[in-house]
Amino acid sequence: MYYVKTLTYVFHVIFHPFDGFWDLKKEKRGSLAAAFTFVFLTIATLTIEKQNTGFLFNPNRLQDLNVVVDIVTVLLLYVLWVVANWCLTSLMDGEGTMKDIAMATGYAIFPVILIRLPMVLMSHAITMDEGSFYHVFMAVSYIWAGFLLFCSTMITHQYSIGKTLVTIVLTIVGMAIIMFIGLLFFSVIQQMLGFGTTIYTELRFR
Amino acid sequence: MAGKRVMKTIRAAACAVAAFTLTAAAMSPCMVYADVPYDTYSYNYWGDDVLQPHAYLYTETLTSASFGTALTYPEDLFIHEDLLYVADTGNSRILKMDSEGTISMEITFARDESDLLNGPKGVYVTEEGHIYVADSGNERIVEFDEDGEFLREIKRPETDLITESQKFVPTKVVVDNAGRIYAICYGINMGLVEFDRHGEFQGFMGATEVSVSPFEYMWKNYFSTEAQQERMETIVPTEYSNIFVDQENFIYATINNLASEDYASGADTIRRLNPTGTDVLRRLGNYPINGDLYSADEDAKWSSFCDVASTEYGCYFILDSAGGKIFAYDYDGNSLFIFGQNGSREGNTQKPVSLGLSGDESQIYVLDNLQGSILKFEITAYGQHVLDALALNNIGDSEGSYAEWQEVLKQNANNELAYVGIGKIALAEGEYKEAMNCFELGNSKKYYNKAFYYYRKELMESGFGKLMAAVGGVVLLVLVIRWAKKLKRWAGEVRCTMSRH
């Protein structure tokens, strides 16, 4: 029951972000399980949107649809954001723990699900001339989620507005750095494995 | 990337098998071709090159054996009433032959034997059979009558618009119904040189526009050193490579000497000029009319258009000298089919320079400059259905067009154009649901939108509106009840506070 309560609490958070994110952390009104549910639902939304949006508003090719790509995209961005944000804020006197950040971020992306899922249905009922409504709603979902992400950072870490903005920019830079190092690591390991296998084959044929 | 290529090849191979069996079935038993030396394909909505049944099949090559004389680097081919006129440039003569290559007339001189033609690069025949020759080496345009008798010559125009140092070398010539003469002249990039029916110089027409990006402009004028500037190409308008007058008296003009980045950015490589020189070519297809969208061949990265011929209902065939391909487009600029190939097999071209359509579009003739030969391609049943469907649609025979598109789909279920064609007819007949279905298969969002609009309207009018009104009513009722409850509670509170005082 606690889980369901934390789930429905999201409606309070998205409409009253300052209150909501505060209580999420201090009053234990949210749960990590709920946050993960929202991340999962975001993945599902993305996939459903690509697959089921009406012909007029769907630029995706069904043959090229790949659920794995959607999963990796969302999960990677989520994990990177949480990790980079945590790394930075622990240096910049942030008050949030990693759990707090993971939770708040999960709640913050809920507008994407809330708006885009119904828009899939909507896209079957409108013509291209009415398409501006569709595109406005799609944009709103991102702007809303972005605003919530901003609020969540500000409140979880008890920052001022300026510091929050700086943190967000640095977090994005941090995400890029992590990605870069990850790729570097990946390529080094690949080289090492290649080296190992070459030696192995060399020895075998000797 | 490699994986995608492989997948494409596999898909292509599967299609090729299907296409081959289909064309084989469509042909009569006496015309059996072991192998066709090229693929026929077109680009779909997603930009994939999808193989199709062959629309035109190579039949034979007319060589010196058929002519009885050898052609040396011929440059131009024109077809008039199913007779072929060839500008045999290397031998300085104009040949007239039938479709089997039997020569019936040879023009080697203008007025008399001392006034020889010199490397003519272009030939055109008017409705009444007068032959216009771009006598490039002699810097003139010559008109002959239908028997090859000299009528007149048009020399370099007396004008300041062409600078003294600029030679007047006509390479291609056409004449429209009003008798106006248009010529492409070597080195003149201000457009086509236009003469009136009396051979008086009128000016230039249809100059290609020069576009310079702001970045390029600043770099060239302010930031580059003199040494760099010297090595830079000067920005000049491009010349046309070939011209063709269509049924409506408009001029198709091809362009082939563009820079790679211009091709990549989708610059014009073909235009349809109206008599004032404005480009009126319809570009409603999914992709620019630039030939191949991509090519694995590094040497022939972009198609190089060297000639064009159109049918009387606006389809046109463009010849590409880089890949030896013929691109067929419909009036709206949709890619119909692409076939032909440069190569060394029989039925391949080596350096195609000119193409001609027979009057009923059943034959395509391609002049090969290197081989000095003429390749003949004959339409298949599939190609005929596609062209017929477009022709019937053009004259407003929607029933006939519908039947033809159905035939096309029987042979090629991947033909998006056929779905759109059928969809349009369904839309006109008020079969909105079917139209939507067709447009979705044909990937036409524009027409789907139209069909959907009417479909939705129909749905609304047929009771769906009432249903929605009922739902709305229920929602309204619930809201009113809740509001009433709230009001009651508020009233109670007010009463409480009142009584307390």
Side-chain angles (χ1 to χ4, degrees):
Chain A
M1 224 34 230
Y2 172 65
Y3 171 65
V4 177
K5 251 188 180 161
T6 55
L7 267 188
T8 48
Y9 184 63
V10 74
F11 288 102
H12 182 72
V13 173
I14 60 173
F15 291 113
H16 312 88
F18 292 95
D19 243 24
F21 282 118
W22 179 260
D23 290 355
L24 204 66
K25 186 180 155 192
K26 300 284 170 182
E27 309 284 325
K28 306 242 180 299
R29 307 270 306 258
S31 72
L32 211 52
F36 289 158
T37 312
F38 298 137
V39 173
F40 170 76
L41 281 178
T42 309
I43 296 170
T45 306
L46 218 68
T47 309
I48 291 170
E49 190 184 293
K50 281 185 183 172
Q51 188 172 283
N52 294 339
T53 298
F55 175 67
L56 284 178
F57 295 95
N58 197 347
N60 303 291
R61 193 178 190 182
L62 220 50
Q63 281 138 285
D64 295 341
L65 188 76
N66 190 345
V67 184
V68 179
V69 171
D70 292 347
I71 293 173
V72 170
T73 318
V74 175
L75 272 190
L76 195 73
L77 282 177
Y78 177 70
V79 171
L80 275 180
W81 169 268
V82 171
V83 171
N85 195 268
W86 175 73
C87 291
L88 263 165
T89 49
S90 25
L91 293 177
M92 290 169 71
D93 305 326
E95 288 187 0
T97 61
M98 192 150 186
K99 190 194 159 194
D100 291 340
I101 301 168
M103 203 159 72
T105 309
Y107 277 78
I109 55 176
F110 186 71
V112 173
I113 307 160
L114 185 72
I115 295 183
R116 292 175 92 96
L117 221 46
M119 287 318 277
V120 172
L121 272 182
M122 183 72 159
S123 71
H124 286 275
I126 54 175
T127 63
M128 226 121 79
D129 316 312
E130 298 139 15
S132 37
F133 288 106
Y134 178 81
H135 295 299
V136 163
F137 272 110
M138 292 311 236
V140 163
S141 79
Y142 279 135
I143 293 169
W144 194 355
F147 173 69
L148 288 182
L149 213 56
F150 175 81
C151 291
S152 78
T153 312
M154 194 161 124
I155 289 159
T156 317
H157 301 300
Q158 293 282 335
Y159 281 167
S160 63
I161 290 182
K163 201 170 179 185
T164 312
L165 283 174
V166 172
T167 313
I168 285 177
V169 170
L170 287 180
T171 303
I172 292 167
V173 173
M175 286 163 78
I177 292 174
I178 294 174
M179 286 255 272
F180 173 71
I181 293 174
L183 282 175
L184 211 66
F185 202 64
F186 180 75
S187 129
V188 166
I189 286 182
Q190 208 175 25
Q191 299 263 347
M192 275 163 61
L193 281 179
F195 179 68
T197 43
T198 323
I199 288 184
Y200 172 72
T201 33
E202 197 70 20
L203 289 175
R204 257 196 66 186
F205 288 115
R206 201 152 274 271
Chain B
M1 201 54 216
K4 200 185 171 195
R5 262 281 130 196
V6 171
M7 266 318 290
K8 226 171 223 177
T9 327
I10 294 171
R11 231 186 302 155
C15 288
V17 172
F20 184 72
T21 30
L22 280 170
T23 35
M27 283 180 304
S28 55
C30 61
M31 293 162 59
V32 175
Y33 297 90
D35 201 358
V36 183
Y38 51 78
D39 289 334
T40 301
Y41 61 98
S42 74
Y43 290 102
N44 67 5
Y45 173 78
W46 304 101
D48 292 341
D49 43 352
V50 183
L51 284 182
Q52 286 200 19
H54 288 293
Y56 280 85
L57 282 176
Y58 165 76
T59 50
E60 62 172 324
T61 305
L62 305 178
T63 58
S64 48
S66 346
F67 308 134
T69 169
L71 303 186
T72 314
Y73 302 122
E75 291 273 354
D76 201 12
L77 169 73
F78 190 83
I79 295 177
H80 176 65
E81 288 173 353
D82 287 338
L83 293 170
L84 280 61
Y85 295 78
V86 179
D88 187 4
T89 312
N91 295 325
S92 294
R93 61 182 174 175
I94 303 297
L95 296 172
K96 177 183 176 184
M97 58 184 77
D98 67 8
S99 58
E100 297 308 314
T102 317
I103 294 175
S104 53
M105 189 168 78
E106 181 181 1
I107 304 173
T108 54
F109 56 86
R111 289 189 190 81
D112 51 54
E113 307 256 347
S114 64
D115 188 13
L116 294 172
L117 297 180
N118 185 2
K121 286 189 174 169
V123 58
Y124 180 86
V125 183
T126 61
E127 279 302 314
E128 66 262 34
H130 287 196
I131 304 163
Y132 280 79
V133 176
D135 191 4
S136 313
N138 290 330
E139 303 188 10
R140 62 178 176 179
I141 296 163
V142 192
E143 183 185 354
F144 299 95
D145 71 3
E146 56 271 32
D147 303 318
E149 294 298 322
F150 174 83
L151 288 180
R152 62 167 168 169
E153 68 174 11
I154 299 165
K155 302 282 280 185
R156 178 196 174 94
E158 302 281 327
T159 172
D160 296 334
L161 292 175
I162 303 175
T163 51
E164 288 294 319
S165 58
Q166 178 65 55
K167 281 188 168 180
F168 173 72
V169 184
T171 54
K172 298 285 181 251
V173 60
V174 294
V175 182
D176 71 6
N177 288 358
R180 284 179 296 237
I181 302 157
Y182 300 94
I184 298 177
C185 295
Y186 182 76
I188 294 180
N189 52 27
M190 287 163 285
L192 305 172
V193 181
E194 182 184 341
F195 301 90
D196 71 2
R197 54 188 309 144
H198 309 295
E200 292 294 322
F201 175 68
Q202 294 296 305
F204 299 103
M205 179 237 194
T208 59
E209 279 162 41
V210 178
S211 64
V212 183
S213 68
F215 173 76
E216 209 173 344
Y217 183 82
M218 298 225 304
W219 166 247
K220 284 209 165 182
N221 288 301
Y222 301 112
F223 293 104
S224 51
T225 63
E226 250 170 58
Q228 279 173 329
Q229 274 174 359
E230 263 171 37
R231 297 193 59 174
M232 268 181 217
E233 298 172 58
T234 47
I235 304 172
V236 292
T238 48
E239 288 168 54
Y240 291 116
S241 55
N242 215 328
I243 37 179
F244 179 88
V245 175
D246 73 1
Q247 297 288 318
E248 289 173 38
N249 238 355
F250 286 16
I251 296 176
Y252 281 98
T254 53
I255 302 166
N256 69 355
N257 51 357
L258 293 178
S260 190
E261 61 263 28
D262 288 335
Y263 280 113
S265 65
D268 295 348
T269 48
I270 177 151
R271 291 183 180 175
R272 186 165 181 252
L273 305 170
N274 70 6
T276 61
T278 313
D279 180 22
V280 292
L281 191 72
R282 286 163 71 89
R283 295 184 169 85
L284 302 177
N286 295 321
Y287 293 97
I289 307 173
N290 274 358
D292 274 328
L293 302 182
Y294 43 82
S295 161
D297 185 358
E298 279 300 320
D299 295 332
K301 196 88 189 124
W302 304 103
S303 306
S304 171
F305 290 165
C306 59
D307 199 7
V308 55
S310 87
T311 65
E312 58 185 297
Y313 47 88
C315 290
Y316 47 99
F317 296 76
I318 314 175
L319 182 65
D320 152 39
S321 59
K325 290 173 182 170
I326 294 166
F327 295 85
Y329 291 94
D330 75 356
Y331 184 64
D332 288 332
N334 295 305
S335 170
L336 295 176
F337 42 76
I338 302 160
F339 67 96
Q341 192 177 315
N342 271 350
S344 46
R345 292 171 67 187
E346 193 192 346
N348 287 162
T349 43
Q350 284 187 0
K351 192 191 171 199
V353 285
S354 191
L355 95 166
L357 273 179
S358 69
D360 57 354
E361 303 123 32
S362 66
Q363 305 276 344
I364 290 181
Y365 301 88
V366 174
L367 181 68
D368 193 305
N369 177 272
L370 269 187
Q371 295 173 336
S373 60
I374 296 170
L375 282 79
K376 283 166 76 170
F377 297 88
E378 192 178 331
I379 199 163
T380 62
Y382 172 75
Q384 195 69 60
H385 287 311
V386 173
L387 294 185
D388 283 352
L390 290 165
L392 290 172
N393 187 49
N394 187 51
I395 58 169
D397 179 0
S398 59
E399 260 172 52
S401 175
Y402 185 86
E404 291 294 339
W405 282 130
Q406 292 287 8
E407 284 300 317
V408 170
L409 282 182
K410 252 184 222 169
Q411 296 191 28
N412 178 14
N414 286 329
N415 196 317
E416 289 176 344
L417 219 54
Y419 288 115
V420 175
I422 289 176
K424 278 182 194 170
I425 293 158
L427 178 61
E429 282 173 0
E431 301 284 342
Y432 303 127
K433 187 73 194 162
E434 196 206 330
M436 278 163 67
N437 205 4
C438 286
F439 291 138
E440 189 167 352
L441 285 168
N443 270 315
S444 170
K445 294 206 166 155
K446 182 179 149 197
Y447 284 103
Y448 183 94
N449 189 42
K450 225 175 243 179
F452 174 64
Y453 174 79
Y454 288 113
Y455 175 68
R456 196 178 60 172
K457 201 171 161 189
E458 205 178 58
L459 210 63
M460 290 291 194
E461 283 162 4
S462 71
F464 180 74
K466 279 175 206 153
L467 183 76
M468 283 318 279
V471 171
V474 170
V475 170
L476 204 70
L477 202 68
V478 171
L479 284 179
V480 165
I481 290 170
R482 281 178 72 173
W483 180 71
K485 270 186 186 166
K486 242 185 198 172
L487 193 73
K488 213 171 151 189
R489 203 184 308 144
W490 178 76
E493 276 170 18
V494 170
R495 209 175 301 137
C496 281
T497 37
M498 291 288 277
S499 61
R500 225 179 283 157
H501 285 285

